[in-house]
Amino acid sequence: MKKDTKQEIIETAFKLFHEQGYANVSVRNIADELNISVGNLTYHFKKKEDLIEAVIIDQYENFQVPATPTTISELNDFFLLGVSHQKQEDYFFAHYGELASISPKVYEVQVAAIQKRKQKLQVAFQNLQRNGDMLPEEVPGQINALIDVLNMIKIYWTPNQEAFTNAKESPFDCLWSLIYPRLTAKGKATFQEDIQTRNIA
Amino acid sequence: MKKDTKQEIIETAFKLFHEQGYANVSVRNIADELNISVGNLTYHFKKKEDLIEAVIIDQYENFQVPATPTTISELNDFFLLGVSHQKQEDYFFAHYGELASISPKVYEVQVAAIQKRKQKLQVAFQNLQRNGDMLPEEVPGQINALIDVLNMIKIYWTPNQEAFTNAKESPFDCLWSLIYPRLTAKGKATFQEDIQTRNIA
């Protein structure tokens, strides 16, 4: 543990929070796991709240933002990445609201991440409309409402799905079910040939 | 406090949990609020977990289940009721996952409520299809996936919306945005004349 103590603390805190939950991990547990003294740890992070903030800021800054989709197939890849991100960090999504209530900073980072994703999806749907894969909006605001729901699924589906659906389904079918009726005949054909076959295979 | 101590305890526990949060309310707080002894309270409910179970079972049993919608307008009423229920009990929705993790019984009641709502919406959409207001499903399973999302919105939208949408929107527009592209021309006309006007007015 020479190079970057601070970064090592963040990574260990991530691992322990993820495995055992924020409430069940003490500053001492993290110091012990790293074989450092509590004093050494609190030199970098005064209290446990600072650690959850640092963990979540670190995740946010290091998250490899996927490219903005320009086709149906790329939109599917975007969703695939989102779902795998979800699974990797499932503790942080399952306790989304709880973690936000510990620190306003955490909440700020959550909001920034969602806003970034929202903008990407807005451009993605403009791209699909330009390609002739998606119908223009009949009622203004509906595509933005759809995007809010897609983000909601990204946050809540995987950790909480058992409470509201009895099937252990992937969120894919669900995401596409919402978009499908907004596709043109060309878009629907592409979806059925390209995405449905691929997801089954 | 003569008639039904048990019921009065449940109602006071509901009120205090709702106002102050489960973690911040002790068995003693509830007894004090009722002017009874802790011993009297624990005669009815041994521990705090029993109280949250009783509160949630009570809400579930006394919830006035709305009729199954047969028209677009009735579906809108169904959503209106859902949203007002959400607001009345917002603490319990904002802490949906946390409360479930306190007691498997709470989780069971949550799942039962969602299942009941799911069945109602399945019949409602069959009714709309029969009326000629909603298109038949092109890809099997999509309407069930839509229903899962409508339930997800019912649970998570109001308490958590600020995290994923910057607008303080009612969930109505959002619910209808998902259903609208599945309506027939007749259904869309009814929606625009009947619902859109009414919700604006």
Side-chain angles (χ1 to χ4, degrees):
Chain A
M1 212 170 131
K2 287 154 210 157
K3 234 178 54 193
D4 191 340
T5 310
K6 204 169 173 179
Q7 188 58 29
E8 297 227 29
I9 294 170
I10 292 173
E11 284 164 22
T12 303
F14 174 93
K15 185 172 91 79
L16 295 185
F17 292 153
H18 193 276
E19 290 168 358
Q20 298 168 35
Y22 180 77
N24 303 317
V25 175
S26 66
V27 168
R28 173 167 295 280
N29 295 148
I30 298 166
D32 286 353
E33 178 84 12
L34 284 160
N35 270 316
I36 62 173
S37 69
V38 170
N40 189 352
L41 192 152
T42 54
Y43 169 80
H44 295 283
F45 299 99
K46 281 211 184 77
K47 45 192 195 325
K48 205 168 88 168
E49 288 81 353
D50 299 338
L51 280 163
I52 192 75
E53 287 176 5
V55 162
I56 286 174
I57 291 169
D58 187 66
Q59 284 173 267
Y60 180 64
E61 285 173 352
N62 291 305
F63 178 59
Q64 201 67 41
V65 181
T68 303
T70 61
T71 62
I72 284 186
S73 178
E74 286 176 17
L75 182 59
N76 194 55
D77 293 341
F78 183 89
F79 290 150
L80 276 162
L81 259 167
V83 172
S84 90
H85 175 223
Q86 239 299 356
K87 282 190 182 154
Q88 261 162 38
E89 304 196 350
D90 81 352
Y91 171 77
F92 298 90
F93 285 94
H95 300 266
Y96 202 78
E98 274 173 83
L99 294 173
S101 72
I102 296 167
S103 146
K105 190 82 202 154
V106 167
Y107 179 72
E108 236 175 71
V109 173
Q110 288 177 341
V111 172
I114 289 296
Q115 286 307 314
K116 200 188 264 182
R117 195 178 150 90
K118 191 166 177 168
Q119 283 155 15
K120 285 218 167 264
L121 284 169
Q122 280 166 337
V123 178
F125 286 141
Q126 284 159 14
N127 290 336
L128 292 189
Q129 288 181 332
R130 206 171 297 126
N131 288 347
D133 284 328
M134 195 168 183
L135 296 164
E137 201 171 44
E138 278 178 67
V139 180
Q142 288 200 336
I143 289 188
N144 276 335
L146 169 66
I147 292 171
D148 285 341
V149 177
L150 299 176
N151 277 336
M152 188 168 209
I153 293 169
K154 155 83 175 169
I155 302 170
Y156 297 109
W157 180 278
T158 307
N160 301 297
Q161 66 163 306
E162 284 176 78
F164 62 88
T165 169
N166 41 0
K168 263 224 162 252
E169 286 157 5
S170 132
F172 284 113
D173 289 343
C174 178
L175 294 163
W176 279 112
S177 294
L178 304 182
I179 296 167
Y180 184 85
R182 296 195 174 272
L183 299 180
T184 58
K186 173 176 169 277
K188 286 180 181 178
T190 307
F191 171 77
Q192 282 172 352
E193 282 153 32
D194 197 7
I195 312 302
Q196 270 199 316
T197 334
R198 193 161 20 130
N199 288 349
I200 291 162
Chain B
M1 213 173 129
K2 289 155 206 154
K3 233 179 57 194
D4 192 339
T5 310
K6 204 168 173 178
Q7 188 59 29
E8 296 228 28
I9 295 170
I10 292 173
E11 284 164 22
T12 303
F14 174 94
K15 186 172 90 78
L16 295 184
F17 291 153
H18 193 277
E19 288 168 359
Q20 299 168 34
Y22 179 76
N24 303 318
V25 174
S26 67
V27 168
R28 173 166 296 278
N29 296 147
I30 298 166
D32 286 352
E33 178 83 12
L34 283 161
N35 272 316
I36 62 173
S37 68
V38 170
N40 190 351
L41 193 153
T42 54
Y43 168 80
H44 295 283
F45 298 100
K46 281 213 184 74
K47 43 191 198 324
K48 205 167 87 167
E49 288 82 354
D50 298 338
L51 281 163
I52 192 75
E53 288 177 3
V55 162
I56 287 174
I57 291 168
D58 186 64
Q59 284 173 267
Y60 180 64
E61 284 174 353
N62 291 306
F63 178 60
Q64 201 67 41
V65 180
T68 304
T70 61
T71 63
I72 283 187
S73 180
E74 287 176 16
L75 182 59
N76 195 54
D77 294 341
F78 183 88
F79 289 149
L80 275 161
L81 259 168
V83 172
S84 88
H85 175 223
Q86 238 299 355
K87 283 190 181 153
Q88 263 162 36
E89 305 197 348
D90 82 350
Y91 171 76
F92 298 91
F93 284 95
H95 300 265
Y96 202 78
E98 274 171 81
L99 294 173
S101 73
I102 295 165
S103 144
K105 189 83 201 157
V106 167
Y107 180 73
E108 235 173 71
V109 174
Q110 289 176 340
V111 172
I114 289 296
Q115 286 307 316
K116 199 189 264 183
R117 195 178 150 89
K118 192 166 178 169
Q119 284 156 14
K120 285 217 168 267
L121 285 169
Q122 282 167 335
V123 178
F125 287 141
Q126 283 160 14
N127 290 337
L128 293 189
Q129 288 181 332
R130 207 173 296 126
N131 289 347
D133 285 326
M134 194 169 183
L135 297 164
E137 198 171 47
E138 277 177 67
V139 179
Q142 288 198 335
I143 290 190
N144 276 335
L146 170 65
I147 292 171
D148 285 340
V149 177
L150 299 176
N151 277 335
M152 187 169 207
I153 292 169
K154 154 86 175 166
I155 301 170
Y156 297 108
W157 181 278
T158 308
N160 301 296
Q161 66 162 307
E162 284 176 78
F164 62 87
T165 168
N166 41 0
K168 263 222 163 252
E169 286 156 3
S170 128
F172 283 114
D173 289 343
C174 179
L175 293 163
W176 279 112
S177 294
L178 304 183
I179 296 168
Y180 184 85
R182 296 196 175 271
L183 299 180
T184 59
K186 172 176 170 274
K188 286 180 182 179
T190 306
F191 171 78
Q192 283 172 351
E193 284 154 32
D194 196 7
I195 313 303
Q196 268 199 315
T197 333
R198 188 157 27 127
N199 287 351
I200 289 164

